[in-house]
Amino acid sequence: MSDSYSSAQDVAPSHNGYPLGSDASFGQPQVPTVPVIRKKLMGYVGFANLPNQVHRKSVRKGFQFTAMVVGESGLGKSTLINTLFNTTLYPPKVPLAPSEERPKTVAIESIGADIEENGVRLHLTVVDTPGFGDFVNNDDSWRPIVENIESRFDSYLEQENRVNRSKVVDNRIHACLYFIQPTGHSLKQLDIEVMRRLHTKVNLIPIIAKADTLTDEEILQFKQRVLSDIAYHNIQIFQAPTYENEDEETIAEAEEIASKIPFAVVGSDNFIQTADGRTVRGRAYPWGVVEVDNEDHCDFVKLRQMLVRTYMEELREYTNDVLYENWRTEKLLSMGVAQDSSVFKEINPAARLQEERVMHEAKLAKMEAEMKMVFQQKVQEKEAKLKQSEEELYARHKEMRDALEKQRADLEEKKRRLESGRPLTPEKGSTQRKKGFLRT
């Protein structure tokens, strides 16, 4: 005999502002809470093996991830990407000669590579923005970046609307690493404006570049100022999500990653021999060595943990379920495409029957009111006609009565004449004598 109990599907919201563990989309109605009956199995069934099936399918299919790096030149964007994925995506850059012509607009460059680790294949695309922030006038330097992000959304939307969607390529930006110059003061106006333009379209991850130029106290104060500017301007940055029923270690790890934002990093793909004989990736200075993979020296390990090792799939899901859906909704609404909000609404059958019954009763009441109105109108019209006919009959009756009275009076007059012996009409002779008398 299996035990059963009833519960409700409650989904805890994440730091990103949408319920993780469920499909979140902009503008759709909230699905009502549906009671779920949970039962204990009497034996092994096998659907617990589903995660393994998904794992095999994912490994066979491979993964795609697109990251964008935004920041001024010289902040180590290319070096950090090479360090993150432990491969040479960007070759060493050759500085331009003084006589060479400098670009006058922000360029968008994409570099793709297929990398593999322990049998898992990843198609990595890195979108660079050379020239950003390098001009005297940087008013519209954000425009090519936003246009590139939206063009990728347009391309994905066009693929979704195809008849054959067997080969849909996801080239949307899943994460944007925004490099902040280590001034030690606060965000520049250019940084604030660009981040305001980008935070609704990409997962924004702020990074303090070249953190080895600041002391620990300066880094802490600079992080606080950056977070204050971000909060004041209502800029949404990606936060490590949390789920239900997670163990304390995972929750503590997510809290530790969140405490490091914005990440103060040092990038280097050079291996250096330390004084104690270790070979590490880092940067050598006269006063010592800054180790990239040492958490006491910078936040590179936490950045890699969030971006690659722990939350890469969450970045992809949030891009698809929230950022892209919000943009898609606004795009279709601007094109005049509307949708009934009740299409995807989950309805209880009993509530649906009750709603239909109420609607039917309201329809009957409306029909009854209309019939009463029509009946009253016809009765009023009939009463008006009857009243008019009555008035006409009364007038005719009065006319006939007056005529009869007149005839009766004439007859009475004639009767009196007869009884008195007077002729009813004057005699002709008297009239002739009067005429003759008048002639003489």
Side-chain angles (χ1 to χ4, degrees):
M1 187 74 179
S2 61
D3 299 331
S4 64
Y5 61 94
S6 178
S7 65
Q9 292 178 336
D10 296 328
V11 181
S14 73
H15 295 291
N16 293 330
Y18 80 107
L20 290 161
S22 64
D23 293 333
S25 56
F26 182 78
Q28 291 187 0
Q30 296 292 332
V31 178
T33 304
V34 179
V36 178
I37 298 177
R38 304 178 185 272
K39 293 189 176 183
K40 296 180 181 180
L41 301 178
M42 300 176 63
Y44 178 75
V45 177
F47 59 82
N49 197 40
L50 283 174
N52 297 330
Q53 299 177 26
V54 175
H55 173 74
R56 291 197 303 269
K57 179 182 177 181
S58 301
V59 170
R60 183 172 62 253
K61 185 179 179 181
F63 299 89
Q64 293 179 344
F65 189 78
T66 303
M68 172 179 279
V69 289
V70 180
E72 300 178 15
S73 300
L75 293 181
K77 301 187 296 296
S78 303
T79 303
L80 181 63
I81 292 298
N82 292 341
T83 310
L84 272 173
F85 295 97
N86 202 16
T87 184
T88 307
L89 287 174
Y90 286 93
K93 293 184 179 180
V94 179
L96 295 176
S99 59
E100 294 186 18
E101 184 179 358
R102 265 61 175 175
K104 298 182 180 180
T105 58
V106 178
I108 304 294
E109 298 179 357
S110 297
I111 297 178
D114 292 321
I115 55 180
E116 184 173 345
E117 181 182 34
N118 295 333
V120 179
R121 293 178 292 107
L122 174 66
H123 180 74
L124 176 65
T125 303
V126 179
V127 182
D128 196 2
T129 57
F132 172 78
D134 297 341
F135 311 112
V136 176
N137 185 2
N138 295 299
D139 290 344
D140 294 333
S141 57
W142 50 267
R143 193 179 302 277
I145 302 173
V146 174
E147 289 177 351
N148 182 266
I149 295 173
E150 292 183 345
S151 67
R152 293 172 182 269
F153 281 163
D154 278 322
S155 175
Y156 193 82
L157 179 61
E158 188 271 333
Q159 294 181 79
E160 281 188 330
N161 294 331
R162 291 178 183 174
V163 176
N164 185 2
R165 299 187 298 179
S166 58
K167 295 181 180 180
V168 177
V169 179
D170 184 9
N171 62 347
R172 297 170 294 182
I173 304 296
H174 301 120
C176 177
L177 306 180
Y178 191 86
F179 286 73
I180 302 171
Q181 193 173 8
T183 61
H185 301 292
S186 59
L187 288 177
K188 296 189 294 186
Q189 192 61 37
L190 176 62
D191 298 328
I192 294 173
E193 183 64 25
V194 175
M195 293 173 76
R196 286 180 61 249
R197 302 280 182 172
L198 296 180
H199 76 104
T200 59
K201 297 177 174 60
V202 290
N203 293 306
L204 202 58
I205 303 175
I207 295 175
I208 301 174
K210 296 185 179 296
D212 51 345
T213 61
L214 301 174
T215 63
D216 292 342
E217 292 78 8
E218 291 174 339
I219 289 176
L220 182 60
Q221 294 176 3
F222 189 39
K223 284 186 175 183
Q224 293 175 353
R225 294 192 188 101
V226 169
L227 291 177
S228 298
D229 289 341
I230 288 175
Y232 178 78
H233 293 282
N234 295 322
I235 298 173
Q236 300 295 326
I237 59 177
F238 182 78
Q239 298 284 349
T242 56
Y243 301 92
E244 283 186 340
N245 302 325
E246 286 188 327
D247 55 86
E248 296 181 357
E249 182 180 356
T250 304
I251 296 176
E253 179 184 356
E255 292 176 351
E256 186 176 1
I257 291 176
S259 67
K260 297 296 182 180
I261 298 174
F263 300 97
V265 299
V266 176
S268 176
D269 50 6
N270 297 325
F271 288 89
I272 299 193
Q273 194 80 19
T274 62
D276 55 359
R278 294 180 296 113
T279 301
V280 297
R281 290 189 302 178
R283 301 176 66 89
Y285 293 94
W287 44 263
V289 176
V290 177
E291 301 178 16
V292 173
D293 298 292
N294 190 336
E295 295 189 36
D296 295 331
H297 292 186
C298 68
D299 300 331
F300 172 80
V301 174
K302 294 302 179 185
L303 172 63
R304 182 180 59 189
Q305 186 175 356
M306 187 191 77
L307 183 64
V308 180
R309 296 187 176 180
T310 308
Y311 298 116
M312 178 177 282
E313 187 61 27
E314 274 75 8
L315 289 165
R316 287 160 41 91
E317 286 183 358
Y318 190 77
T319 300
N320 181 74
D321 297 343
V322 179
L323 300 174
Y324 171 72
E325 284 298 322
N326 293 347
W327 175 88
R328 179 178 177 273
T329 301
E330 294 178 1
K331 179 78 172 182
L332 295 180
L333 289 176
S334 64
M335 296 171 58
V337 179
Q339 176 176 291
D340 186 3
S341 59
S342 64
V343 172
F344 299 102
K345 187 177 180 181
E346 188 174 332
I347 298 176
N348 188 355
R352 183 61 180 270
L353 289 175
Q354 178 68 15
E355 183 180 353
E356 290 180 352
R357 186 179 67 81
V358 171
M359 292 177 61
H360 183 67
E361 290 179 352
K363 185 178 179 181
L364 290 177
K366 182 180 179 181
M367 292 176 61
E368 183 179 0
E370 290 178 352
M371 292 177 64
K372 286 182 177 179
M373 185 182 299
V374 172
F375 177 75
Q376 291 177 357
Q377 184 178 0
K378 290 186 175 296
V379 168
Q380 291 175 357
E381 292 178 355
K382 193 68 174 178
E383 288 179 348
K385 289 183 178 180
L386 290 174
K387 186 175 181 181
Q388 183 179 1
S389 300
E390 183 181 3
E391 291 177 353
E392 291 177 355
L393 289 174
Y394 180 76
R396 290 177 59 187
H397 173 71
K398 183 178 180 182
E399 182 181 356
M400 293 176 64
R401 187 181 61 183
D402 293 342
L404 289 175
E405 287 292 333
K406 185 178 180 181
Q407 291 181 6
R408 189 178 65 81
D410 292 342
L411 291 175
E412 289 291 336
E413 179 66 23
K414 291 179 179 181
K415 180 180 178 182
R416 285 194 301 269
R417 286 178 179 274
L418 289 174
E419 289 178 350
S420 61
R422 289 181 297 173
L424 297 177
T425 57
E427 295 180 359
K428 293 181 180 181
S430 60
T431 305
Q432 289 177 359
R433 285 196 301 270
K434 288 180 179 180
K435 285 182 180 181
F437 174 78
L438 290 173
R439 280 197 300 266
T440 59

